[in-house]
Amino acid sequence: AVKERGKSGYRWYAENMDAQAVEHARMGAELQRALVRGELFPLYQPVVTLPDGDVHGVETLVRWRHPERGMISPAEFIPVAERNGMIVQIGAWVLRQACLQMVEWQRLYGTAAPMRVAVNVSARQLLEPSFAQTVADVLAETGLHPGDLLVEITETAVFDGGPALETVQALQALGVAIALDDFGTGHSSLGLLRTCPVDILKVDKLFVDGVAGTAEEAAIATSIAQIAQALRLGAVAEGVETPAQARRLYQLGYRLAQGFLFARPLPPEEVGVLLAARAAGRGTGSAEPPALA
Ligand code: C2E
Ligand code: MG
Ligand code: MG
Ligand code: MG
């Protein structure tokens, strides 16, 4: 980092931009190797039903364990992968891992397996003409039922229509479910809900944070619940951290939630522990303690 300011603010800015560009180029090159060296791995965060906190689905969230720099957040390396195109390969790999994992859980836990596995898909992937075929191939190869896969896209990716929207339509034709992620933070347009096939709205943490507060603080989450109900869409509240938020979300009509209150993103073995308990609970008829009690 440039510690001392150059002769002009511009120069300081330019040097910083150079440093950032160099860092991104380095990270981009390392990402190429990360995939083949097995440094990337998926975690799975449970999506739970309200009010009982039972596992409904899981969202696949990729991680990078860098040999020197330790864990790198996807918020850092996914944008780099989007810029250098590596997201196409990384995304296809994550998708395949998620489908293989889901089939394995279905084999091990039957009806106690999650209902759905969600995978995040970048705009860059939707713009690949072959993406829908990649999804079809992975489903065929792994044997996962298309309806058991949920693809999470952002409003911004499909806002302009065009090829990205066509890809989403092709995914829907395959029977794959579609979620609008971080709903309300992008190029929000209610018109989008007519043109783009959508099954689920994922309400961004930004609107969940204040949901237990005043009516004003809860206003966006309240409105999104009403939109979802009117259009018969599912709604998932993201980033739920407190019981007060979960209670209020339930009152507002939310029946699905995700957040550290219920579970963090977990390695597959830890999800397996939850599923085994779920399968056993079904056998004996005993219920999980209510999460909102
Ligand atoms: P996202 O899809 O909106 O995922 C939700 C993020 O919120 C995850 O961050 C998750 O760990 C975090 N989160 C969940 N519950 C809570 C909570 O209660 N409190 C807080 N503070 N955070 C919570 P993560 O895993 O760091 O991922 C960040 C973003 O990176 C994701 O946001 C997604 O946009 C992107 N991403 C992750 N994996 C992939 C991937 O395989 N492909 C693509 N294209 N993007 C990915
Ligand atoms: Mg997501
Ligand atoms: Mg999100
Ligand atoms: Mg996000």
Side-chain angles (χ1 to χ4, degrees), residues 45 59 62-63 74 120 122 181-182 205 238-239 241 259-260 265:
Q45 185 178 32
E59 177 177 4
V62 70
R63 294 289 182 269
N120 291 285
S122 296
D181 204 354
D182 307 337
K205 182 177 187 302
E238 288 191 285
E241 293 181 344
F260 296 171

Side-chain angles (χ1 to χ4, degrees), residues 192-227:
L192 186 65
L193 299 176
R194 286 193 298 124
T195 54
C196 182
V198 178
D199 302 285
I200 289 175
L201 303 179
K202 296 198 74 175
V203 182
D204 196 77
K205 182 177 187 302
L206 194 63
F207 309 123
V208 170
D209 283 342
V211 81
T214 63
E216 286 76 17
E217 286 168 314
I220 307 286
T222 305
S223 303
I224 296 175
Q226 289 165 352
I227 292 166

